[in-house]
Every structure is written in structure tokens, then in C-alpha cells.
């Protein structure tokens, strides 16, 4: 992301959180990013891994910052690369005379994700799921990894954070077949009103990102309108999807204030009330923050 950060929004009337950000992708020290978020009323954030390296980073960041939690996983677009990379590493270790025979590459990578998922500062397994928009990994491979992540989330007792792009039916079918964890979050919710109703019927949380504010995002606004308020979160997906009025600039956690205001307008509820609702939903899904005071 070469564009400069977006200018800060007006502070919210109550505290809120950014339910999904990639803090490792933002320039400058994390402390400065979090300070800017606090100034806008965003007192908590979940930083999300997409591969082993970024998942390790997320866990370390959350351990250092009391108001930050981590999510760890292999992104569906990274599954083919992760499997191939682990195979190369395992083969090299074996050739070098490693004492332990390397297991299947997928098992080795997923075992590390499971270890990270068990850490107290890691509160979600994600982002995992299915992406049929890009062809970075075969659908069958993505589905196998998705099922494995569901089992990791259930074993760890953590929320499942889903990436779902052009794959609504398969994601919902796999969750039903596999048995979903207690808490499921559809990150950057991308469905319409009908998908929102299906998620609500299953008790799944829908996290709306800055693209809800885009002029062509009528379907997302329809989804937010029908989604129960207590099944809604807001997120940045920083550094991506910067909301209007700063679209095209680099996204940062503070910008989720714009998205929250847009959701409140769609749902015709007051902004302070939605702040309180998303904070309660965030605590229900991710657990109480360690010190109770945020970032």
C-alpha cells in the first residue's frame, strides 16, 4: 500500500473495536497506529494472520499490547503455497538428518497454527475459509484446509474467523457438515440480505468492512439492514478497503469509525448505541480483554 494513511475521523461517542486488521502490514510503530485508533474511539483491535509468519507476528503483537487480540490461520489463498513450502522445509530437514521423520506437510503447518491458537492472547482462528474469486489454490485444497481450521478452532475453544469470497454455499455447507465452533465471524461480510438471514439463523456474526460505504455496495447495506444488531461487528481489514470519504488512501484501525457510523445509519440506530452493541458482541465472541481498559 503506497497511498498515505487516511486523515483521522471525528471521535465516536463511545468506545468501539476494529474486529479485523492486519497491523503487520501498516507502516510505522504499532503504538502510533493504536494511539490514533484510541483518539477516534477505537480502543480494541484484532490483528489477523494469513500464514505462519504473520500468525506468529499477530500472536507476539497481541502479547505485547493489552488491547490487541490475535487471530491465526492460513488464508485460503495461501494454502497451496503453505503446503508446498512446508514440504520443501520438511524434505530439507530430513535430508539434514533430523531426528523426527517429517509428517505430511499440511499436518506440520496446521500443527503450528494449533499451537498458536492455544495461546491466551489468540482469540480466533482465521482468517480461513474459501475464495473462489481468485485461483491461488484449488477449491478442493481450500476446503480441506478450511475443515482442518474448523477443528483447530473447536479444539482451542476459539472463534472461527471466515474469509468467504464467491463461496457462500460451500462455506455454509461445510460449517453445517463439520459442526461450527460456538462463535463464527464472517470477516468482511460479502453477501446480500438472503445470506445475512441465513447467517443470522445459524447465529453467525457478520463483520462489515469499509466497502459497505462504497456507492455500489447496495447489497451490503441491505445485508446490514436485516442483520440483527447483536450479530454485527465492524472492521477495517487494514490496510485495505478504506471507507468513504477516504477511499483510495491507506486504511488504519481509526477508520472503522466511518464504517460504524454508516452501519448505524443503515440500521437507523444511534451511533452510541451501536458502539455499545459491537463492544458487547466483540467481548462475547473474543472474550473479555485482559485488563478491561482497551488498548
Amino acid at each position: 500500500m503506497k497511498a498515505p494513511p487516511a486523515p483521522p475521523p471525528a471521535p465516536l461517542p463511545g468506545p468501539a473495536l476494529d474486529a479485523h486488521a492486519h497491523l503487520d502490514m501498516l507502516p510505522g510503530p504499532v503504538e502510533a497506529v493504536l494511539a490514533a485508533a484510541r483518539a477516534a474511539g477505537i480502543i480494541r483491535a484484532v490483528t489477523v494472520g494469513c500464514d505462519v509468519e504473520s500468525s506468529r507476528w499477530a500472536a507476539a503483537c497481541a502479547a505485547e499490547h493489552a488491547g490487541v487480540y490475535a487471530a491465526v490461520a492460513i488464508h485460503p489463498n495461501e494454502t497451496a503455497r503453505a503446503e508446498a513450502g512446508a514440504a520443501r522445509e520438511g524434505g530439507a530437514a530430513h535430508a539434514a538428518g533430523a531426528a523426527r521423520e517429517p509428517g505430511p506437510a499440511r499436518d506440520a503447518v496446521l500443527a503450528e497454527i494449533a499451537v498458536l491458537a492455544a495461546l491466551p492472547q489468540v482469540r480466533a482462528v482465521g482468517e480461513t475459509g474459501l475464495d473462489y474469486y481468485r485461483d491461488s489454490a484449488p477449491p478442493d485444497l481450500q476446503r480441506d484446509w478450511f475443515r482442518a481450521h474448523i477443528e483447530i478452532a473447536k479444539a482451542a475453544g476459539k472463534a472461527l474467523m471466515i474469509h468467504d469470497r464467491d463461496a457462500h454455499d460451500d462455506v455454509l455447507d461445510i460449517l453445517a457438515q463439520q459442526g461450527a465452533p460456538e462463535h463464527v465471524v464472517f470477516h468482511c461480510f460479502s453477501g446480500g440480505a438472503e445470506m445475512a438471514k441465513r447467517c443470522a439463523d445459524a447465529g453467525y456474526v457478520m463483520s462489515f468492512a469499509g466497502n459497505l460505504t462504497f456507492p455500489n455496495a447496495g447489497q451490503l447495506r441491505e445485508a446490514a439492514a436485516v442483520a440483527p444488531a447483536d450479530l454485527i461487528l465492524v472492521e477495517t481489514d487494514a490496510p485495505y478497503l478504506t471507507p468513504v470519504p477516504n477511499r483510495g488512501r491507506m486504511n488504519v484501525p481509526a477508520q472503522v469509525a466511518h464504517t460504524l457510523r454508516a452501519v448505524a445509519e443503515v440500521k437507523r440506530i444511534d451511533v452510541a448505541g451501536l458502539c455499545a452493541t459491537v463492544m458487547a458482541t466483540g467481548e462475547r465472541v473474543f472474550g473479555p480483554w485482559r485488563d478491561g481498559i482497551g488498548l
Side-chain angles (χ1 to χ4, degrees):
M1 299 291 293
K2 295 183 179 180
L12 290 167
L17 77 156
D18 181 354
H20 187 114
H22 300 280
L23 297 182
D24 59 315
M25 297 184 185
L26 300 178
V30 171
E31 290 81 1
V33 172
L34 299 181
R38 284 196 299 273
I42 308 304
I43 68 165
R44 297 173 179 170
V46 180
T47 189
V48 181
C50 292
D51 55 21
V52 169
E53 182 178 2
S54 59
S55 292
R56 290 171 182 156
W57 188 96
C61 178
E64 183 176 353
H65 301 282
V68 177
Y69 275 157
V72 299
I74 307 300
H75 190 288
N77 290 335
E78 297 293 327
T79 52
R81 185 180 295 112
E83 189 155 319
R88 287 193 299 271
E89 291 174 10
H94 183 55
R100 184 179 62 84
E101 287 286 331
R106 189 179 307 166
D107 291 349
V109 174
L110 290 168
E112 179 153 11
I113 295 299
V115 168
L116 292 170
L119 295 172
Q121 72 270 26
V122 175
R123 293 304 176 97
V125 173
E127 58 188 282
T128 180
L130 303 176
D131 190 326
Y132 294 167
Y133 177 78
R134 302 191 186 280
D135 59 358
S136 303
D140 284 348
L141 182 66
Q142 293 186 46
R143 289 190 284 266
D144 286 346
W145 282 73
F146 182 35
R147 292 187 183 97
H149 280 86
I150 292 171
E151 294 308 310
I152 290 172
K154 290 194 291 189
K158 306 295 172 70
L160 184 72
M161 185 177 283
I162 292 177
H163 174 104
D164 163 30
R165 193 165 188 189
D166 291 355
H168 303 329
D169 288 341
D170 278 4
V171 168
L172 290 173
D173 287 348
I174 289 172
L175 286 171
Q177 294 161 7
Q178 199 83 4
E182 180 180 2
H183 299 295
V184 173
V185 178
F186 276 75
H187 136 69
C188 193
F189 185 81
S190 59
E194 182 58 33
M195 177 64 175
K197 291 174 183 176
R198 294 174 70 184
C199 287
D201 287 345
Y204 301 152
V205 172
M206 291 154 270
S207 184
F208 290 93
N211 53 342
L212 175 137
T213 70
F214 296 175
N216 64 348
Q219 175 179 274
L220 290 179
R221 289 187 284 274
E222 291 171 1
V226 303
D230 64 351
L231 291 178
I232 287 176
L233 287 172
V234 288
E235 63 173 77
T236 55
D237 200 21
Y240 309 110
L241 299 177
T242 310
V244 173
N246 296 312
R247 187 177 180 183
R249 310 290 289 273
M250 185 173 62
N251 207 359
V252 292
Q255 295 296 310
V256 80
H258 290 300
T259 303
L260 189 146
R261 287 186 169 101
V263 172
E265 181 178 357
V266 165
K267 297 197 70 61
R268 300 181 180 180
I269 58 179
D270 68 276
V271 175
L274 184 58
C275 287
T277 299
V278 298
M279 286 291 281
T281 299
E283 186 155 317
R284 185 177 77 245
V285 170
F286 301 119
W289 252 249
R290 294 188 298 282
D291 62 357
I293 62 170
L295 298 172

